[in-house]
Each structure stands twice: as C-alpha cells, then as structure tokens.
Amino acid sequence: MKKAIFLTIFFSLVMYSSFLIFAQKQRSPIVPAAQENREDLSSRKGAPRIAIAGIGTESSTFSPALAEEDAFRVRKGEDVMESYPFMSKDAFRKRAEWFPAMVSMASPGGAVTRKAYESLVEQTLELLKKNAPYDGLYFDLHGAMSVVGLDDPEGDFIARIREVVGKETIISTSMDLHGNVSWRLAYNSDLLTCFRMAPHEDRYETKERAVENLLSRIESGKGKPAYKAWIPVPILLPGEKTSTRVEPAKSLYAKLPDATAQEGVIDAAIWIGYAWADEPRNSAVVMVTGDDKSKVKSTAEQLANSLWEVRSKFDFVAPTDSLHGSLDKALASNKRPFFISDSGDNPTAGGAGDVTWTLKEILERPEFQSNNGPSLIYASIPGPELAAKATAAGVGAKVDGYVGALIDSRFAPPVRLKGTVESINDRAVVVRVGSIRVIVTKDRNRNTNFDKLNLDPKLTDIIVVKMGYLVPELYDMRADWIMALTPGGVDQDLESLEYNRINRPMFPLDKKMKSPDLTAKLIPSSEEYIPEN
C-alpha cells in the first residue's frame, strides 16, 4: 500500500514538472539564432557590436499610386555608413564595431506593395543574421509607410528584427515627426526619438542623437531605459499646419530640449503623425524614455496636454486660396518671384506627383498664352515620352506630346504640351508654351533644380511648385508665397477625405469631442515577453 502511494506521488511530481516545462516553452518566445552566441558576447571586452537597419517612405492611402521595390534606394554595408554625415567622424566610428545591414528609402507616394515590402524585409533580416549577435541596433525609419494588406508595417518589421537579434539587444529608433508610433513599435524599441523641425533641417542631427543615445546607454552600462511613457493624442493634422517655423508648433517643439535635459530622462519626443493614411495607428503621439518613473510620466503628460491645449491654434504655414485666387494674387503683386504651392499633389507628402489639374488650369489662363505674358515656371510634371522626344529633338526644336496623369487621372486627363524645347538635362527638359516654362521630368520625382535647367527664378514672375510648405532653399528664395488648395492624393482639406479606419473621435474631424484621457501608458520593456494579439 505504502509503495503504491509512493509511486503515485512520484509519477504525479514527474507529470507536474513536465507540465511546468511545457508551459514555460509556450509562454517564452522563440529563442533567436543570435542567442546561441549571447554568452560569448557578454564575456567579450572591447567596442560594442552595433547593427544598422531601416526602411522609410511616406504613403498616402488616398492616392491610387503603388510603390514597387524599384522605388526604393537600397544601401548596404559601407554605403549605409557613408549616408550618415556624423559617421565620418573618426572618434564616433571608433566607439563601436559597426555592422550596417540594409537601409531602404523611397520618395513619398502611394502604398507599398506587399511583395516589395516582404522582399526588402527578408533581405534585411538575412543580412542581420550573418553578423549576429549584437549589443545594439540603430533602426532608421520614416514611420508613415503603408503596405497593401498590412497594418503597421514598421511595427511588423521591428518585431521580425527582434526574432533575429533577440530581446537583449538594445534598439534605438529614429523617425520623422510625421511618422506614426504604434504600441508595437514602442514596445519593441528601447530608445525612440524623432525630428524636432518641420521642414526637417535637423534630419541628421536627430539620427545622430538616436545613435548617441544607443552608444551612451551601452558604454555606461545602464542598458535599456527603465521606463517608456507613450501617449496617443487624438489629433490628425497635415504638416502644412504644424510647421515649426510658426506658432504654436514652434514653441511646442522648443520645450523638448529642456524636457530631455532632465536628470532621469533620456529623450522626449512629439510625433504629429501622418494625416493621409486611413489606419488605426494614425494620430499624434508623445513619448518619453528614461530611468526616473515620475519624471518620465509627468513629462510625457505635460507635453501631451500642451499639444492638446493648442490644437485649435494650428493653421497653415502660409496664406491659402484656391488656385485661381492664388494666381490672381500673384499677378497683382509686384514681388518676384512669387511662389504658389500646388499643395494637393505634393509628391514629398505622398501625392502621385502627376496630377495635371493645376497645369491644365494655368495653360487655359489667357494671361500666359502669349510669349510676352507674365513669366511662369511650373515645377514639375512627369512626362517620360515627351521628355524623350524633346531630348532627341534638341534645344530650340518644336515638340508636341502629352504629360502627366499616368498614375492619378481622377481630376484631369493627360495634358497636351505643344511648345519649344528650351533646356535639357539627364533628368528633365523644359518646354515653353506661351510665357509658361514647364519642367517635364523623366520620372515622378519633382524637379526644382532650376540652375541645372538654365532657369533663373529671380527673373521669373511666378513659380508654381508641387509642394506643401516650401523647402528651405525655396523658402529663402521667395519674395512672396501662397498655398493653393488644389486636388490630389494629399488634399489639405482633411474633412473632405473618407476616413473609415482611424480611431474616433479625432480632432479636427470630430468638432464636439470631449477632452481625451492623456494619462501616460508605461510600455513594457522589450525584454518582457508579451504574446502577439
């Protein structure tokens, strides 16, 4: 009898132990290949091993355009290092052993095809596997990429990177302030920061800050931050209303250096988010990382409330009008050059860049139909066939052909240009029609390289550019400027767009919404296992 009881207890303990082992395996994530060498890494002395990976573009889901793999500029190995000016500093380079895998960047446009995304991700992961394990990884993102059939691609990408490099590797992520920070991206990142200027004159300063934060945490032995505070703020605004050149964004972003300088805080950041994608993650976000729980939480909440309090004060960075109202103002002005932004088809925000509506309307204006009319440069419109024809014909030749509307013909069909070739280079040609000089490009990329096309903007009355807020070079060149509210994939009239998937309520789409709960949410450390939903 005693023997039977003993055997029963013994086998019960064996079964219970087996159950605990099974449960632990079910709870724990798959151990990455890099983990096999993790002990060797922890015992090795010397410079830390740092990997670099990234992907970036800005995708309008309101544009019919699709981005294939050939739209991306892919850098690998040393080419990655050479793309960062701060990496040219010997002292900086010597602080780590660098393993640049692959960074893929594309000009803004429509959603990326799933095939293109999967190919770029798989290539990056294979390169990361070759040199694992790593002490740290710098993750270079834009943050507003949309992929057909996949929500939150940046969150998906970093989760897959974690499967390769493991939970112990410290990942520092830098982003555009027009990117989107999902819970998944915040969880898998350890350190996060974003641009503090729009236009993004601090692009490389921000990337350097992200790498510096990574190196400092490794060198000091402090490792991952103890706390990450994340606060989604239900605001969706275009970049043209949130430029840091003007208030209230100017003062709002000016708070960040002091917030970051606090003892116990590593970084404080505000993402305005991306307005032209209809996805649940799209909204403003505030994040603060650091080791002092109280300061991390309170700083995040102060910044989030500061953003919410000024929500109604955001306005366009320049005067606005209809296209014809803008043209009338430019014609009546004696300031030269007078810039007009063709804002609805801005290719640097996600527009197709080939909407012909604005060009068609300008060509129909009687003021510009004579060679002696007011001089106007239109920059620019894709027309590869006409550009090839003009190149073959040569400067001074007459050409006749169609441009634009190969991708986005919703607002106007291709436009016929019948004029004289005035300039040719390897990327574009200039065709003169009446007093209008149209820059016709060989691809969808906007071209404002006036000097390379023998154009003198200072001697031009009106310059129309497919752009929202002017980039610094053109901003400094302008004598006056107005934004024309034109149609396209990045229409500035957000309330006219059909949002079906963003979280609601959302300012300014829901005028009577109540004040949101802006209590900081503490994101778990990336080392804590959180099962995927």
Side-chain angles (χ1 to χ4, degrees):
M1 182 68 178
K2 289 182 179 180
K3 183 177 181 180
I5 293 172
F6 172 78
L7 289 172
T8 300
I9 294 172
F10 173 76
F11 284 116
S12 296
L13 289 171
V14 169
M15 292 296 291
Y16 182 64
S17 299
S18 299
F19 169 76
L20 289 177
I21 293 170
F22 173 77
Q24 178 65 23
K25 287 181 177 179
Q26 291 296 104
R27 189 188 66 82
S28 301
I30 296 172
V31 176
Q35 197 66 38
E36 296 175 5
N37 299 318
R38 181 61 63 180
E39 290 185 9
D40 293 338
L41 181 63
S42 61
S43 63
R44 180 186 56 79
K45 295 181 179 180
R49 296 168 60 85
I50 307 294
I52 301 176
I55 196 166
T57 189
E58 201 170 36
S59 308
S60 170
T61 62
F62 298 104
S63 168
L66 290 175
E68 299 288 354
E69 187 171 350
D70 61 4
F72 285 81
R73 301 174 297 280
V74 175
R75 294 178 182 268
K76 299 178 182 179
E78 187 59 27
D79 285 345
V80 173
M81 302 297 282
E82 291 176 357
S83 69
Y84 303 117
F86 54 89
M87 285 294 187
S88 64
K89 305 172 187 176
D90 286 342
F92 202 95
R93 286 283 290 260
K94 290 177 181 178
R95 291 171 65 186
E97 190 176 357
W98 302 95
F99 298 93
M102 181 167 140
V103 176
S104 308
M105 296 289 172
S107 297
V112 179
T113 65
R114 186 65 177 266
K115 180 181 179 182
Y117 170 77
E118 292 294 341
S119 175
L120 294 167
V121 169
E122 287 300 328
Q123 290 178 62
T124 307
L125 296 178
E126 286 303 312
L127 289 169
L128 285 172
K129 289 175 184 177
K130 288 184 178 180
N131 294 301
Y134 307 104
D135 295 287
L137 183 145
Y138 168 48
F139 197 32
D140 187 356
L141 293 179
H142 178 286
M145 176 170 60
S146 291
V147 172
V148 178
L150 176 68
D151 278 345
D152 189 23
E154 289 88 353
D156 172 77
F157 191 8
I158 196 171
R160 290 161 72 174
I161 286 175
R162 277 287 177 206
E163 292 177 1
V164 171
V165 305
K167 293 287 188 180
E168 293 181 30
T169 299
I170 303 174
I171 297 181
S172 181
T173 301
S174 72
M175 299 173 65
D176 191 304
L177 63 83
H178 298 126
N180 306 292
V181 186
S182 67
W183 187 97
R184 192 183 195 192
L185 178 59
Y187 161 60
N188 282 290
S189 297
D190 300 300
L191 303 163
L192 296 93
T193 193
C194 71
F195 302 159
R196 295 173 178 174
M197 297 178 71
H200 309 314
E201 297 171 69
D202 65 334
R203 177 186 306 274
Y204 291 109
E205 178 185 336
T206 299
K207 295 174 189 284
E208 182 175 1
R209 182 170 68 249
V211 178
E212 177 61 42
N213 286 342
L214 176 62
L215 290 171
S216 296
R217 296 298 289 192
I218 293 172
E219 291 168 348
S220 66
K222 293 180 179 179
K224 301 187 178 192
Y227 302 100
K228 296 182 290 185
W230 176 75
I231 307 177
V233 184
I235 292 175
L236 198 62
L237 291 169
E240 285 70 24
K241 283 190 173 182
T242 53
S243 171
T244 58
R245 284 176 176 155
V246 296
E247 299 296 351
K250 184 177 182 179
S251 293
L252 183 66
Y253 276 83
K255 297 176 183 288
L256 295 177
D258 287 343
T260 299
Q262 298 176 93
E263 187 71 27
V265 172
I266 300 169
D267 194 89
I270 300 171
W271 285 261
I272 289 297
Y274 182 66
W276 292 289
D278 187 17
E279 297 179 10
R281 65 177 181 163
N282 286 70
S283 75
V285 163
V286 169
M287 277 204 73
V288 178
T289 55
D291 299 320
D292 186 315
K293 182 178 181 179
S294 176
K295 286 184 181 177
V296 167
K297 283 193 65 180
S298 63
T299 300
E301 290 169 359
Q302 288 166 13
L303 291 171
N305 279 285
S306 293
L307 171 57
W308 180 253
E309 287 168 4
V310 298
R311 67 193 181 281
S312 298
K313 297 181 181 180
F314 288 102
D315 203 354
F316 287 112
V317 66
T320 61
D321 204 336
S322 66
L323 173 63
H324 289 290
S326 298
L327 288 168
D328 291 342
K329 287 182 172 65
L331 289 166
S333 175
N334 59 5
K335 296 180 179 179
R336 299 290 183 266
F338 194 113
F339 275 83
I340 298 175
S341 290
D342 179 5
S343 64
D345 189 39
N346 174 12
T348 63
D354 78 337
V355 173
T356 58
W357 184 86
T358 297
L359 178 57
K360 178 182 74 69
E361 296 293 313
I362 293 172
L363 289 167
E364 291 174 355
R365 294 275 300 222
E367 297 95 333
F368 306 110
Q369 293 181 3
S370 164
N371 284 350
N372 296 322
S375 58
L376 184 147
I377 294 173
Y378 187 81
S380 54
I381 192 76
E385 289 186 7
L386 182 59
K389 188 185 293 187
T391 300
V395 173
K398 302 292 185 181
V399 290
D400 187 351
Y402 288 85
V403 296
L406 293 176
I407 298 172
D408 195 344
S409 59
R410 294 174 296 171
F411 309 100
V415 165
R416 183 182 182 186
L417 293 183
K418 187 177 180 180
T420 304
V421 180
E422 286 202 341
S423 181
I424 299 170
N425 69 17
D426 59 345
R427 294 186 57 201
V429 302
V430 175
V431 177
R432 179 167 179 166
V433 182
S435 63
I436 303 167
R437 290 175 171 87
V438 182
I439 299 176
V440 180
T441 61
K442 298 178 181 181
D443 55 32
R444 65 172 289 269
N445 291 315
R446 183 191 63 216
N447 192 316
T448 55
N449 294 319
F450 303 125
D451 56 335
K452 293 183 179 179
L453 288 164
N454 299 318
L455 296 172
D456 190 342
K458 293 183 180 179
L459 298 178
T460 302
D461 296 319
I462 303 168
I463 301 176
V464 181
V465 289
K466 280 188 178 292
M467 197 174 292
Y469 54 62
L470 296 180
V471 296
E473 178 187 357
L474 301 185
Y475 184 78
D476 293 341
M477 186 187 299
R478 86 210 186 288
D480 207 344
W481 170 37
I482 193 168
M483 282 179 52
L485 301 179
T486 54
V490 288
D491 196 317
Q492 296 291 328
D493 183 9
L494 300 187
E495 295 177 51
S496 71
L497 303 177
E498 293 186 12
Y499 289 101
N500 297 306
R501 302 187 63 234
I502 61 171
N503 290 321
R504 307 294 286 261
M506 183 73 67
F507 179 86
L509 305 179
D510 301 297
K511 303 292 187 187
K512 297 180 180 180
M513 66 180 291
K514 297 178 180 178
S515 295
D517 178 5
L518 298 178
T519 303
K521 299 170 179 64
L522 292 178
I523 301 290
S525 168
S526 61
E527 290 190 0
E528 295 183 36
Y529 175 63
I530 306 294
E532 294 288 339
N533 293 329

